[in-house]
Amino acid sequence: MTDYEESDYSRCSIVFTDQTVPTIQVWDRIVKTVSERERKSLLENDHVYITAVQWISVGALKLKVWGYGKVNASGFTRFYRYDKDGTVERLKN
């Protein structure tokens, strides 16, 4: 689920129908996993968005992250794979 909370950011969560399973905040997992340079783009730009693109296999979600601001004035777009085991991998597209 993607929630465009404000005009300058969004959040992406995996919500389970089994309410005993906790919701996964995908954004938090990506920020913890990426390199320091990538983290700077994600956290220090003025506008940064994340959205789920598609399930690419059972338990693996393709994500799009894009934004712009003082770190990336011309903007940036990145794609990631999030696996249900918590693994994050940057994709080429």
Side-chain angles (χ1 to χ4, degrees), residues 7 10 12 15 21-22 25-27 33 38 45 49 51 54-55 61 72 74 76:
S7 63
S10 64
C12 183
V15 180
V21 179
Q25 298 299 332
V26 181
W27 174 259
T33 305
E38 285 182 83
N45 276 304
Y49 308 95
T51 190
Q54 69 184 62
W55 288 102
L61 185 61
N72 302 96
S74 298
F76 72 93

Side-chain angles (χ1 to χ4, degrees), residues 21-81:
V21 179
T23 298
I24 297 171
Q25 298 299 332
V26 181
W27 174 259
D28 297 341
R29 303 280 175 99
I30 289 176
V31 169
K32 289 179 184 177
T33 305
V34 298
S35 69
E36 188 64 36
R37 182 174 179 217
E38 285 182 83
R39 189 174 298 115
K40 187 172 183 166
S41 290
L42 300 180
L43 297 177
E44 295 182 24
N45 276 304
D46 302 320
H47 297 265
V48 179
Y49 308 95
I50 182 172
T51 190
V53 176
Q54 69 184 62
W55 288 102
I56 51 180
S57 68
V58 175
L61 185 61
K62 182 177 181 180
L63 304 154
K64 178 181 177 183
V65 179
W66 72 101
Y68 62 93
K70 65 182 177 181
V71 177
N72 302 96
S74 298
F76 72 93
T77 300
R78 297 184 185 134
F79 292 91
Y80 296 92
R81 174 188 172 119

Side-chain angles (χ1 to χ4, degrees), residues 1-16:
M1 173 177 73
T2 300
D3 182 1
Y4 291 93
E5 293 182 355
E6 297 287 336
S7 63
D8 59 350
Y9 73 97
S10 64
R11 305 245 337 140
C12 183
S13 307
I14 299 174
V15 180
F16 296 91

